[in-house]
């Protein structure tokens, strides 16, 4: 029953299939304090489902995340590519990932 000001998921949502991602966002919504924020990086844009060590690697459009957030009474927005935050992995695909912010209020 604990609520949090901040929830962070780095390289987590990109490995969730839609049904698991939906449950994750519901969990986040139920555990965010008013004014709290959830940050997560994602692969924006459609792409074939990949694989990393047995886990799927998913790419989705921004409006998918916005719609998913809305179904759970959250708002979602892109904060830009990870490279804007000086995250350089040496892997171009990873550095192009976007950081999303989910929150309860506009």
């Amino acid at each position: 029953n604990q609520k949090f000001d901040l929830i962070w998921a780095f390289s987590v949502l990109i490995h969730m299939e839609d049904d698991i991602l939906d449950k994750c966002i519901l969990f986040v919504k139920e555990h965010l304090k008013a004014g709290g924020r959830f940050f997560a990086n994602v692969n924006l844009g459609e792409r074939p489902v990949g694989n990393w060590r047995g886990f799927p690697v998913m790419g989705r459009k921004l409006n998918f995340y916005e719609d998913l957030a809305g179904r759970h009474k959250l708002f979602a927005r892109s904060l830009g590519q990870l490279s804007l935050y000086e995250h350089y992995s040496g892997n171009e695909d990873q550095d192009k990932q976007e950081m999303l912010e989910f929150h309860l209020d506009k």
Side-chain angles (χ1 to χ4, degrees):
N1 294 328
Q2 194 167 4
K3 302 242 180 198
F4 300 91
D5 295 314
L6 174 68
I7 300 174
W8 176 269
F10 196 83
S11 294
V12 176
L13 301 189
I14 62 174
H15 296 294
M16 293 182 173
E17 294 175 344
D18 293 355
D19 59 328
I20 296 170
L21 178 59
D22 185 72
K23 291 173 185 172
C24 174
I25 298 301
L26 175 60
F27 180 89
V28 164
K29 192 257 183 196
E30 292 174 345
H31 291 86
L32 272 181
K33 286 183 181 177
R37 300 289 190 253
F38 169 50
F39 297 96
N41 62 307
V42 298
N43 294 313
L44 281 190
E46 291 184 7
R47 62 193 312 181
V49 175
N51 185 294
W52 179 80
R53 297 188 179 194
F55 295 97
V57 178
M58 310 295 288
R60 301 173 174 101
K61 292 184 177 182
L62 179 58
N63 68 348
F64 174 91
Y65 290 102
E66 293 169 335
D67 292 345
L68 175 62
R71 285 196 304 273
H72 295 292
K73 310 237 185 303
L74 292 169
F75 298 92
R77 70 182 180 120
S78 173
L79 299 176
Q81 291 185 350
L82 295 181
S83 59
L84 292 174
Y85 300 95
E86 299 187 26
H87 177 275
Y88 301 106
S89 67
N91 180 313
E92 186 177 350
D93 283 343
Q94 290 178 15
D95 295 341
K96 288 183 178 179
Q97 290 175 354
E98 299 256 342
M99 183 60 66
L100 299 186
E101 174 190 40
F102 295 80
H103 53 94
L104 295 167
D105 52 353
K106 281 190 171 180

